[in-house]
Amino acid sequence: MLPSEIDNLIREAKSALKKAIAPYSGFTVGAALIANNGKIYHGCNIENPSLMLSFCAERAALINAIVEGERYFKAIAIVSGNGEYCFPCGACRQMLAEFAPDMEIYLVSDKGIKKFSVDELLPHRFKKI
Ligand code: THU
């Protein structure tokens, strides 16, 4: 990804953050996922009073893209409302690994940007072979 593409993806993740629905945890998360064709898909966390039904921003972005027919992805940017780095939860890592194993992952905080590969965040992942 070019620096300008990364900047744009982060802007989109901040825009997705505004759509988060997190009245129970107070912890808002936004994600922007860019497909290989350059299209960007938003995700945000969506909470429910039945707390187990709450949905993470990363998986929301993936599902948003997949239902639109996308299958190949370049990168995802993830931002949280508290200004700290938001590392994807285990379930999101497994799903990102399944659909985008070569993707770049950008975590954004008030202090800067960290870049990870899927393998770094989820080594030795479960695969059905
Ligand atoms: N959350 C995400 O959206 N992504 C993550 O990677 C970690 C957690 C959400 C789920 C829940 O709505 C809130 O953050 C607090 O756990």
Side-chain angles (χ1 to χ4, degrees):
M1 292 266 288
L2 299 169
S4 62
E5 291 179 300
I6 298 165
D7 286 350
N8 188 48
L9 195 64
I10 290 170
R11 252 195 310 278
E12 293 287 341
K14 288 180 178 169
S15 164
L17 178 65
K18 295 184 193 141
K19 295 180 261 191
I21 301 171
Y24 303 104
S25 71
F27 186 77
T28 52
V29 186
L33 176 67
I34 183 165
N36 279 3
N37 62 14
K39 273 190 168 180
I40 293 176
Y41 295 85
H42 284 185
C44 61
N45 57 334
I46 304 165
E47 295 186 350
N48 187 280
S50 176
L51 296 176
M52 284 187 305
L53 301 181
S54 295
F55 215 80
C56 291
E58 298 90 326
R59 276 177 293 153
L62 256 181
I63 285 168
N64 203 6
I66 289 168
V67 296
E68 291 301 323
E70 303 292 355
R71 286 303 302 274
Y72 303 102
F73 302 100
K74 282 201 277 200
I76 191 168
I78 304 161
V79 59
S80 77
N82 74 355
E84 301 290 333
Y85 293 109
C86 176
F87 282 79
C89 78
C92 288
R93 291 180 198 206
Q94 180 70 30
M95 194 154 158
L96 293 172
E98 180 66 19
F99 290 102
D102 302 318
M103 184 173 64
E104 296 168 5
I105 299 172
Y106 293 95
L107 307 185
V108 184
S109 81
D110 290 348
K111 297 173 204 96
I113 300 164
K114 288 183 197 275
K115 178 185 173 186
F116 295 93
S117 67
V118 171
D119 265 355
E120 280 172 319
L121 292 187
L122 189 65
H124 312 295
R125 71 176 179 270
F126 172 70
K127 288 182 197 167
K128 194 158 184 300
I129 36 176

